[in-house]
Amino acid sequence: MGVSERTPEPLAPEPFTRAPDVNQQMCPSRLVLEHVTSRWGVLVLAALLERSYRFSELRRRVGGVSEKMLAQTLQTLERDGFVDRDAKPVIPPRVDYSLTPLGAEAARRVWELARWSERQVAVVEEARERYDGARRERATNPSQ
C-alpha cells in the first residue's frame, strides 16, 4: 500500500482582512473609487440622480459617451451595486436604469465634486498658464 501522490490545491488569494485603506496597494476600495470616479462613471451617476433613464436617453444625456463605454460603465456600476437595471418583458424590450440607495449616495458625493470642478475652471486655467509660462521661461533661459 503506497501513499498516493496528490497535487496540492492552489492557494486562493488571501481575503482583504484589514480595515479598508485606499492608500494600500491591494485595498479593494481602490477599485470602488475607480468605478465611481471614472470619467463616465461620474457622469452616469450624476445623470441618474435626476431620474431613471433608458439606455438611448442616457447616452444622449451623457454627451460624448460611446455606446460601448456606456454599456461597460452601466454594467460595472450595476455589478458594484450602484445601478439597478430593470428589464421589462415587453415588445419592444424596455430597460430602465436607476440608482440604488448606495448609488444615490455615491452620486451625490461625486456630483458635488463635479460641481466644485466646474466652479474652479478659471482658477485652474490661470494656474496652468502660470505654470506653462514659468516652464517656457526656464527653457529659454536655463540660468534661472
Side-chain angles (χ1 to χ4, degrees):
M1 250 189 182
V3 177
S4 67
E5 292 184 31
R6 292 184 52 184
T7 306
E9 295 288 324
L11 296 175
E14 299 247 347
F16 193 83
T17 56
R18 294 182 300 261
D21 179 354
V22 76
N23 291 313
Q24 296 299 313
Q25 182 177 356
M26 298 305 293
C27 183
S29 64
R30 280 192 177 190
L31 195 54
V32 174
L33 185 62
E34 180 181 326
H35 293 167
V36 298
T37 61
S38 70
R39 176 181 186 179
W40 303 118
V42 169
L43 299 175
V44 166
L45 289 169
L48 291 173
L49 262 177
E50 300 168 356
R51 63 179 179 89
S52 64
Y53 281 94
R54 294 178 72 177
F55 186 89
S56 57
E57 293 176 314
L58 190 55
R59 185 161 178 231
R60 284 190 297 274
R61 179 70 180 103
V62 179
V65 66
S66 70
E67 191 172 312
K68 178 182 175 185
M69 283 308 305
L70 180 57
Q72 286 177 353
T73 300
L74 285 167
Q75 185 176 27
T76 297
L77 294 173
E78 180 185 5
R79 181 173 183 253
D80 287 350
F82 297 116
V83 169
D84 180 52
R85 180 182 185 273
D86 182 23
K88 306 229 186 315
V90 295
I91 298 176
R94 179 184 174 104
V95 179
D96 291 301
Y97 295 92
S98 60
L99 293 174
T100 64
L102 180 66
E105 180 183 354
R108 284 189 298 272
R109 292 176 185 273
V110 297
W111 186 235
E112 180 54 37
L113 179 60
R115 290 305 223 186
W116 175 87
S117 66
E118 289 173 338
R119 293 188 302 269
Q120 302 307 319
V121 168
V123 174
V124 171
E125 287 176 344
E126 289 171 12
R128 288 176 180 167
E129 288 176 18
R130 283 191 308 276
Y131 178 89
D132 293 345
R135 289 201 43 127
R136 277 191 301 277
E137 179 65 30
R138 283 193 301 272
T140 58
N141 191 357
S143 64
Q144 290 189 354

